[in-house]
Structure formats: C-alpha cells, structure tokens
Amino acid sequence: MSAPFLFILLPFLFSLAALSVSRWEKPLAAFGTVLPALLAWIAWNLPIGSPFNFGPWSPQIEPVMRIFGVGLRLGEGSRALLALVYGGVTLWSLAAHITRQEPRFILLQLVYISLLVGVLAVPGLVLAAVMILFSVLTGVVILTAEAPRATSVTGALGFMTFSTLAIPFLMMAAGLIPGLGGSPAELDAVLRPSIFLGLGFAFLLAVFPFYAWLPRLTEFNHPLRVAFVVGLMNIAVSVLGIVLVNSIVWLRESERLFAVLRFTGLLVVVTAGFWSAFQRDWGRQMGFSMLVENGLVLIALGSGLDTGIPLIGSLLLVRIPAYLVWGMGMALLREHSGSLDLAGLEGVGIRHPILGAATLAGHFSVVGFPLLAGFVPRISLIFTLGAVPEAIGIWAAMLGMAVGGLRTLSIVFLRPSKNVQAAETTGEDPLLQRFQQGLLVFGTLMLLVFGIFPQVYTAFVARFPLIFSQFAR
Amino acid sequence: MDLQPLALVVTVISGAFFLLFRNWRVTLIALSVQYLAVFSWMMAIWGLELAAVKLITGWMAVAILGATLRGSPADVDDDDTGILFKLFIFIILLLVGWSSGGDVGDWLNGVSEQAGFAGIVLIGTALLRLGFHTRALQIVFCLLFLLSGFELWYAVLDNSTLTAVLLGVSNLAIALVGAFLHVQEISGSSLTAE
C-alpha cells in the first residue's frame, strides 16, 4: 500500500462512494469521522518508506504511487502535516455531528481534504494549481450546501472568483519557470514568473488589496464551514508557497522576495487588524482575523527560511483548535440568535456561559492573548523580528483585534439580554447540548494547554521543516 | 490556411456580444462562439486532437449552463448598466488590446501578436462584465470566458495532453458548480420571498 493511496485516494473514493449512496448516510458519515482519525494516527505513528512491525509481518507504506502517468509522492517528511490536517478534519467532523450538520458535509470534508493533500503530492505547479481549483470548487459546494440561503451563495462567490483568478497566474508562472537558472544573465526573465507567482498567491491568500471577499464570506456563510474551508485552504496554500520558495534556487536566494513578503505581510496584518476593531458582526471579525493570520505567515516566511519555517509550523498548528472552537461556538450562537450581528448577541453569554466563554477563548487565541495557544507563536515571531516595523505592525494588529474582541465580550457577557424568550425556545436535546459543551470545553482546554505548555507541540514543530526535504518540485 | 485573422475577428465579435448584451441566450451563444475561436487558435499550436478537447468540454459547459437556465423560473440578469457606456469601454479595451497585443508575446515567449490581442479581449471583457454582476451564473459565465483567454496564452507554454484534459475538466467543473450555485441561489431567494 502506498501513502498517496492511503491519504488521498482512499478518503476521496470512500467519500465519493458514500455520497452516491443515499440510504446509509448517517453510518457512513460516522465512518467518515473515524477514517480521518485513523489516518491521522497512521501518519503520526507509522513510517513511510521503511518497514514497521505489525505482528509477525513487516509491511511498508510506499511513498510513491503512479496514476495516469503522474507520480504522486507523500514521503516521510509529510507525516507531520498529514497528521495535522487529518487530526483537524476529525475534530471538525465531530463538531459537524454535534452541531447537526447534514452527513453530506462530513463526506464532502473528506473529498476536500484529500484534494488539498493532493495539491502537495502532485509533481509540478501546474497540477498543483489544477488541484487547488478542484479543491476550491468542492469548498464552494461545502460552503453553500447548507439550507438554501441566497446570502451564502453571495459569500461563496467571492471565494470562488478570486481563487479561480489565481489559477491561470500560477499556471503561467509554472510555464515560465522550467529552464530558468539563477545566473545573473537570466534575472530579467525571473521577474515575469515572480510577478505571476506573486499574483497567484495574493489571490489565494487574500492578500491586500484582494481581500474584501473574505470578511464577506465569514459574514454570510456558516462559521464552522468557513473556518474549515478557508482555514485548511490557507494551510495548504501556505505550505505550497514555502515549498516553492524553498525549492526554486532564484527565489530562495532573492533578498528582494523576502523584503516583498515582509512588506506585503505587514500591509495585510496592519490593515486587517485595524478594520477588525470596527466590525459590528462577529463573523466579519473572524474574516479579518484570518487575514491577519495569513499576513503573519507571510511575515514569518519573509524573516528567512531557517527561522521562519518552524514559526509557520507553530502558527498553522495552533490555528486548528482556535478556529474549531471559534467556528463551532459561532455556529451554535447563530442558531440561538439568528445572526452574528453583535446587536443580536446581547447577553447571549449570560444565557449560555460555556458557549459564550469558549467562543471568546477561540477568538482571543487568534488575537494572541496571553495563556492561550495563539500567544506563543506570535510573541516568538515578534522576538525573532526584533524592533522592526513588522513587529510593531503585529502589535498594532493584535491591539486592533483585541479591541474588536473586547467589544464583543462586553456585548455578549455584560449587557443584559433583550431576548431571553428566544433562547429558551430552541428546544434542543439535553444530551446533544452536553456533547456540544463537552467539545467546546475540550477545545478551550487544548487552547490553554497549548498556550501554557507550548512544549507539547515541540515534536510537531521539529518535524514540520522535514516537509520541505520531501516536496522537491 | 491561416485561420488566425478570422479567429481574431470572431473573438472580438463574441467578446462584444458577451459584454454588451445581458440576455442569457445571447451570452451562451457568445460563449459557444468564443470556444470555437479559441479552438482555431489552439489547433495551430496543439493540433486538432488536443484543441478538440477544449472545444468539446467548452460546449459541454455551455450545455450544462443552458440546461440549468432553461429550467429556471427566475431572471438571472442583475445588470442595469447602459449599453453606450459598455460600448465605450469595449472600444477602449480594443485599443488597449491592439496596442499591447505584442507586449504579451514579449512576456510569454511564443504568443503571437494576434493571440495576445485576442487574449486581452477575452480576459478584458470577462473582467469588465464581472464588475457588473453579482449573480452566480453571470459570474460563472465570466470565469469561463476569462479562463479561455488565459488558456489561449498558456497553450504556447505547455502542450501536454494531461494539462489539456485537466483544463477541460476544470471548465466542466466550474459550469457544474455554477449550476449548483444557481439552484441554491434561486431556492434561497424564493425562501426569503416567502
């Protein structure tokens, strides 16, 4: 058995088959939650490319698989990333079950994640770009497949449009890159693919000024779905970007590229952090926070590959529990209040204290609040950068997001509720409520553990740079 | 026989109809004709077999969108921009294409001046129309038009069968998702109205 079959084809084919069967939707969706958990366990514990002991046998997971003449490769170095994404999918599937999402969502999640893993497994940027497009289209279906709402289509259209615009730029960059070396005589020719690559990644990562669609998406669409689709897409695109920078000599050795990355990241972080302070919709605050996260990754990458890559590893890791708790909490709050407009959330934390507190914990972790998971990677990045404008920009963005978060806190917890009646008439199953509270508490504890004892994820951060030794393009 | 001048004329006409007229039937016809023009451009670079992939998948995408719209009760037109304004910006676009078609060849080695011009017309009209609309299917029309323009240029950089097939499948996938979004949009609007 090969790793690409196990981590790409198996979940992809299983979920496609399950989606086409309408009868045993719920049991299949339940298995769709167990499968990514199993894959995450395999990725973390079993080696790829070398034999391991399994009773009397010594099987081996092969790193390469050929399909339609294309060699898909997932080697030993990809294990940390695979464990991260499949672990994340498991948690999201659990959250989907207990927030009563339809079983199709869980199965579509598997299609989406297998396509995103495919982005990193295929050889060459052209195939990666096409895989990104297929992932985006699956993501659009996930975002809009909840109960029909015209606004959810409006939100998803921005994601679809801007991500699709990125694909031709990436493909043209790929078309121009072969044959380019790093010699000074060819430096003029290097400019063109660099611009195409830059535009492609700017569209995908919602870099300033192409980012208005993201807050709109988080405002109009289901928070749990948005957090899943955009969160994992950003992880895959960030990893693809750093793999490219690492594997193309003239990109890796270009001082100008790193300066551009730092400047672009600073622009995104400062503008998004600033606007975050003025949002009256909690969903839009999440959108601006996602933008700040993307900006932080750009700044970390711009600080240099050796220092930046472990920082990016920790930034990406702590994102998963934070957005899970925040997204799930907001999904439940939206059910209770009808929208995420702050005016409609007055006193909701008093009526649902665990829900309100956990959702705010997710929010404040993304802000970078001390003792929560997001704090350590942010503070490490700031110390790595030293007293440069980027560090000041990160402080400013954290301040902007904190202002937005504190305003939300004051509305959710401190103002008296105007709508007590509505909250009590939801008539939810008490057992389901216990499960919801249980997962929220578990997620919040994860945020606290990651924040207070960051050494628990040192093993992951140590393994993360190995990704680049294996994804040579 | 050199089909490029004829293909350029067809591209410009389809671009004009695509930008100027709001009716979805005209849009679908412009999209189909544009695929024919792109097919003739690509035939010169990729050969008949691979270029046919683009034509067939493009027309299949048009068929999917046409079938979706035919069964749809709602109007998908959300653009009230004046035709004279659109004509004016289309003329400006033609001037830009005429003057910059050769520059595309400088940037992407191997793209002829005429193909550069045609690509600018396709991409430009798609981007302009994208700015006039907010409805799902209209946006999908624009994305398909835009991708054709890029594919016209990209054909000279990569002539592998796999890429041609994947690009064709991408067009089909965009059309399918567009049809799905249209249905969701219509259902959502009718629920809101109720």
Side-chain angles (χ1 to χ4, degrees):
Chain A
M1 189 179 287
S2 66
F5 175 80
L6 204 57
F7 295 106
I8 301 171
L9 278 188
L10 180 68
F12 183 76
L13 294 175
F14 162 74
S15 39
L16 278 192
L19 280 167
S20 61
V21 178
S22 55
R23 282 184 70 184
W24 305 294
E25 231 179 8
K26 283 191 174 171
L28 285 170
F31 187 68
T33 310
V34 176
L35 183 63
L38 196 66
L39 292 175
W41 184 87
I42 291 173
W44 191 251
N45 291 298
L46 301 183
I48 298 175
S50 53
F52 56 91
N53 291 326
F54 185 73
W57 303 283
S58 295
Q60 179 174 325
I61 301 173
E62 297 296 336
V64 181
M65 188 182 97
R66 293 196 76 77
I67 179 167
F68 301 127
V70 179
L72 302 177
R73 185 181 155 75
L74 287 172
E76 179 69 11
S78 61
R79 281 173 51 201
L81 186 69
L82 291 170
L84 174 73
V85 293
Y86 278 108
V89 172
T90 309
L91 291 174
W92 248 280
S93 299
L94 282 173
H97 278 294
I98 60 177
T99 54
R100 289 171 305 168
Q101 303 298 307
E102 76 276 13
R104 259 182 315 168
F105 170 54
I106 293 156
L107 298 170
L108 280 168
Q109 275 187 330
L110 277 179
V111 176
Y112 183 70
I113 199 63
S114 48
L115 287 169
L116 281 183
V117 173
V119 169
L120 302 170
V122 292
L125 186 55
V126 173
L127 289 178
V130 176
M131 292 296 278
I132 289 176
L133 179 61
F134 290 142
S135 315
V136 166
L137 296 175
T138 313
V140 169
V141 175
I142 292 175
L143 289 168
T144 53
E146 57 167 328
R149 292 159 71 110
T151 51
S152 71
V153 175
T154 310
L157 276 173
F159 172 58
M160 181 175 166
T161 306
F162 279 89
S163 306
T164 308
L165 281 177
I167 306 309
F169 286 109
L170 292 182
M171 292 182 75
M172 292 219 271
L176 290 170
I177 284 171
L180 286 180
S183 66
E186 289 172 334
L187 281 179
D188 279 346
V190 160
L191 181 68
R192 287 173 278 162
S194 306
I195 290 174
F196 286 137
L197 266 184
L199 279 169
F201 279 98
F203 282 125
L204 281 175
L205 287 175
V207 167
F208 182 84
F210 308 116
Y211 69 32
W213 61 269
L214 186 50
R216 212 170 51 209
L217 178 72
T218 49
E219 180 184 1
F220 291 142
N221 291 68
H222 194 280
L224 191 70
R225 290 164 188 256
V226 176
F228 173 77
V229 171
V230 179
L232 287 179
M233 173 63 77
N234 285 345
I235 290 179
V237 173
S238 305
V239 172
L240 179 68
I242 32 192
V243 165
L244 275 174
V245 172
N246 191 49
S247 54
I248 300 172
V249 179
W250 48 266
L251 275 179
R252 195 171 58 214
E253 292 179 353
S254 163
E255 281 297 317
R256 202 176 294 170
L257 170 81
F258 289 101
V260 168
L261 283 173
R262 283 198 305 272
F263 177 72
T264 316
L266 177 67
L267 212 56
V268 176
V269 161
V270 171
T271 52
F274 177 77
W275 287 119
S276 173
F278 302 99
Q279 300 309 312
R280 290 172 185 277
D281 184 284
W282 210 353
R284 284 184 71 82
Q285 287 192 25
M286 183 193 245
F288 281 104
S289 303
M290 285 174 163
L291 291 170
V292 171
E293 293 263 356
N294 287 347
L296 292 176
V297 169
L298 291 176
I299 293 176
L301 185 58
S303 70
L305 287 173
D306 293 337
T307 50
I309 288 174
L311 281 172
I312 293 171
S314 50
L315 279 168
L316 297 183
L317 174 75
V318 298
R319 219 183 246 197
I320 290 195
Y323 280 109
L324 175 78
V325 173
W326 194 2
M328 186 183 154
M330 287 209 303
L332 293 170
L333 286 174
R334 196 172 83 148
E335 258 182 51
H336 289 302
S337 305
S339 85
L340 290 170
D341 190 286
L342 292 182
L345 293 174
E346 285 182 356
V348 75
I350 299 167
R351 297 197 303 270
H352 307 281
I354 294 177
L355 174 58
T359 314
L360 279 164
H363 185 163
F364 278 103
S365 174
V366 177
V367 170
F369 207 72
L371 301 184
L372 290 171
F375 175 69
V376 176
R378 278 157 186 73
I379 212 74
S380 310
L381 179 60
I382 288 169
F383 281 135
T384 308
L385 292 166
V388 292
E390 289 87 346
I392 299 163
I394 296 172
W395 279 118
M398 284 166 69
L399 182 68
M401 288 196 294
V403 169
L406 289 170
R407 275 179 62 211
T408 311
L409 172 77
S410 73
I411 290 168
V412 168
F413 270 104
L414 304 182
R415 288 195 193 165
S417 171
K418 285 180 185 169
N419 195 16
V420 179
Q421 211 55 32
E424 308 310 330
T425 54
T426 50
E428 271 188 1
D429 176 7
L431 185 66
L432 187 69
Q433 275 188 343
R434 290 270 178 278
F435 274 120
Q436 289 169 351
Q437 289 170 351
L439 189 60
L440 285 169
V441 169
F442 172 72
T444 310
L445 284 176
M446 251 175 106
L447 293 176
L448 281 167
V449 169
F450 280 11
I452 300 169
F453 310 107
Q455 60 272 29
V456 294
Y457 58 85
T458 317
F460 172 81
V461 175
R463 277 195 195 182
F464 190 70
L466 295 176
I467 288 165
F468 308 103
S469 60
Q470 97 96 24
F471 289 124
R473 284 172 190 278
Chain B
M1 195 176 94
D2 185 13
L3 287 172
Q4 288 209 354
L6 180 65
L8 180 60
V9 172
V10 175
T11 306
V12 170
I13 292 171
S14 66
F17 273 77
F18 186 72
L19 184 65
L20 299 179
F21 297 100
R22 297 179 295 189
N23 185 293
W24 63 265
R25 288 180 183 83
V26 178
T27 304
L28 285 179
I29 292 168
L31 203 56
S32 313
V33 173
Q34 167 269 127
Y35 279 122
L36 198 62
V38 172
F39 162 72
S40 57
W41 289 108
M42 286 188 166
M43 203 167 58
I45 307 160
W46 279 1
L48 179 70
E49 298 85 353
L50 274 184
V53 173
K54 173 73 192 160
L55 180 69
I56 292 166
T57 52
W59 279 358
M60 282 169 75
V62 172
I64 291 167
L65 296 173
T68 311
L69 278 164
R70 216 174 146 218
S72 156
D75 186 10
V76 290
D77 181 22
D78 57 342
D79 168 30
D80 53 2
T81 317
I83 195 164
L84 279 177
F85 173 70
K86 287 183 185 171
L87 187 63
F88 174 68
I89 52 173
F90 184 69
I91 291 168
I92 292 176
L93 180 69
L94 287 182
L95 290 173
V96 171
W98 188 259
S99 59
S100 315
D103 295 338
V104 177
D106 294 341
W107 267 63
L108 303 167
N109 307 329
V111 175
S112 69
E113 195 172 339
Q114 287 173 331
F117 181 20
I120 289 174
V121 169
L122 290 176
I123 294 166
T125 47
L127 287 176
L128 287 170
R129 189 170 163 149
L130 205 53
F132 298 142
H133 293 279
T134 52
R135 304 291 288 268
L137 268 189
Q138 296 286 357
I139 295 209
V140 167
F141 291 148
C142 297
L143 289 179
L144 291 174
F145 222 77
L146 185 136
L147 282 180
S148 285
F150 274 108
E151 284 173 39
L152 190 66
W153 293 345
Y154 185 69
V156 296
L157 299 175
D158 185 352
N159 59 357
S160 70
T161 312
L162 185 66
T163 310
V165 171
L166 284 175
L167 285 172
V169 176
S170 307
N171 282 306
L172 275 180
I174 290 174
L176 281 170
V177 171
F180 172 75
L181 288 180
H182 177 67
V183 172
Q184 289 291 92
E185 198 173 48
I186 297 291
S187 321
S189 304
S190 52
L191 280 177
T192 312
E194 281 167 20

